[in-house]
Amino acid sequence: MNQNNIILGANQFGKAEVRLVKITRDTARHAIEDLNVTSQLRGDFLDAHLLGDNAHVVPTDTQKNTVYALAREGVGSPEEFLLRLGEHFTTEFSWVDGGRWAAEQYGWDRIQAHGQPHDHAFVRNGQEVRTAVVVKDGPATQLIAGLHSLTVLKSTGSGFEGFPVDKYTTLAPTDDRIMSTDVAARWRYNPAAVEGLDFNKAYDDVKALLLEGFTENYSTALQQTMFNMGRKVLEAHPEIDEIKFSMPNKHHFVVDLAPFGLDNPNEVFFAADRPYGLIEAAVLRENASDAGRAWEGIAGFC
């Protein structure tokens, strides 16, 4: 093959997983923000790859330092912070025409001391991890918020019946089972609707709606529950165009206690960690805005 037929394809580079803790000390009552930030730049980096010319290569160390410098001005919400990062890099360097900035945020609660929340002592809140991604592609900016590792379970109100059976099927149908999953969800905002949006308030409400949706109705399958959770979010938030889910079915099997002379009326279970069913789906509006390259690089979501 002629070497001239070999060209450079899509590329990006940056600093991954910059650990950032911001303490706000404006008053005696401190606030903590704990993030893991990744910055990746896209643009004119052809000469760096083909000629070894680093004139356009913004050092990844510079990208790390920029994360810390912008945090000095405040974080606010991971969505707002990433939008600021994207705006900085695409205006500071003329050859950077886009990029991808991502963050995980870890929650902290105030420690209760003598019946009162402490002003400057915190305990890590392990309920879920908040996520955000900003993708800039020329003039277009896409914003995707989300969460993962939100473990939920309901002890009844779920079954699984009516599935196809072949010679390899051993699963017995049931109309009463434990349903449990780790919710991973990401929702994409309509680009025209993010101006002035309170992202922290929106996040709290979406999380509450997801949890509420999980509790509602009898579930014939995790697929049905997942769709209802997504529909509930979209109906309440016109500024969100689509929401994607990736949720494992955390199987709980009834333990056979008959060898011990005991019955088991659906009360004692073996919680299996693998293998597990993995259910993924996107729930979106028919007239959703074009996602562009927003979902590139977000693994685990169809």
Side-chain angles (χ1 to χ4, degrees):
M1 177 183 291
N2 188 326
Q3 187 174 358
N4 291 332
N5 292 330
I6 300 174
I7 64 172
L8 177 68
N11 61 92
Q12 61 185 17
F13 78 99
K15 186 69 86 177
E17 300 198 53
V18 179
R19 290 294 284 112
L20 164 66
V21 174
K22 171 66 165 64
I23 304 294
T24 300
R25 305 172 181 268
D26 294 345
T27 68
R29 188 175 179 82
H30 296 172
I32 182 171
E33 294 166 303
D34 184 354
L35 289 86
N36 195 21
V37 181
T38 292
S39 170
Q40 295 171 299
L41 307 185
R42 300 170 182 169
D44 178 12
F45 305 116
L46 187 67
D47 287 351
H49 290 87
L50 272 58
L51 305 177
D53 181 350
N54 291 333
H56 282 182
V57 179
V58 182
T60 65
D61 190 65
T62 300
Q63 296 183 50
K64 175 203 70 177
N65 292 340
T66 304
V67 169
Y68 292 130
L70 266 62
R72 177 63 183 88
E73 304 165 17
V75 174
S77 71
E79 294 89 347
E80 292 171 298
F81 188 62
L82 297 182
L83 287 168
R84 288 168 52 211
L85 275 174
E87 183 67 18
H88 169 84
F89 285 113
T90 55
T91 55
E92 181 76 8
F93 304 101
S94 60
W95 58 89
V96 176
D97 58 20
R100 180 180 184 274
W101 296 269
E104 292 185 334
Q105 184 174 43
Y106 314 110
W108 292 82
D109 295 328
R110 297 185 185 278
I111 293 176
Q112 296 291 317
H114 309 291
Q116 298 294 327
H118 200 278
D119 282 345
H120 55 264
F122 304 87
V123 59
R124 175 75 176 265
N125 177 344
Q127 194 169 89
E128 91 277 0
V129 176
R130 180 175 175 178
T131 63
V133 176
V134 167
V135 177
K136 292 181 73 68
D137 188 16
T141 300
Q142 297 281 355
L143 176 58
I144 298 173
L147 55 82
H148 68 76
S149 304
L150 181 64
T151 302
V152 292
L153 178 151
K154 60 180 182 180
S155 54
T156 191
S158 173
F160 189 55
E161 302 175 284
F163 49 83
V165 175
D166 70 1
K167 61 183 178 181
Y168 299 119
T169 302
T170 59
L171 184 68
T174 179
D175 62 0
D176 188 10
R177 64 170 183 171
I178 285 178
M179 186 169 72
S180 180
T181 186
D182 295 328
V183 180
R186 295 192 183 247
W187 51 94
R188 183 175 64 87
Y189 288 101
N190 186 309
V194 298
E195 186 70 28
L197 193 63
D198 185 337
F199 294 110
N200 287 334
K201 183 177 184 300
Y203 175 84
D204 289 342
D205 192 57
V206 169
K207 177 187 170 184
L209 289 167
L210 292 173
L211 291 173
E212 190 174 76
F214 179 78
T215 71
E216 293 176 342
N217 306 319
Y218 176 83
S219 175
T220 62
L222 185 54
Q223 286 91 332
Q224 180 191 35
T225 296
M226 179 185 291
F227 181 79
N228 287 337
M229 291 165 68
R231 179 170 57 188
K232 193 176 183 73
V233 169
L234 294 182
E235 287 175 346
H237 287 271
E239 73 278 11
I240 296 175
D241 271 356
E242 60 180 323
I243 181 168
K244 293 191 177 189
F245 296 93
S246 181
M247 292 162 57
N249 200 331
K250 297 170 70 71
H251 301 298
H252 290 70
F253 299 107
V254 177
V255 178
D256 181 11
L257 299 180
F260 318 120
L262 300 171
D263 67 351
N264 187 2
N266 232 17
E267 292 185 358
V268 180
F269 297 84
F270 165 65
D273 64 345
R274 63 196 64 182
Y276 51 85
L278 183 60
I279 317 300
E280 297 176 336
V283 184
L284 67 161
R285 304 183 191 280
E286 284 187 335
N287 61 344
S289 60
D290 182 10
R293 302 176 64 184
W295 292 103
E296 289 184 13
I298 301 180
F301 293 82
C302 61

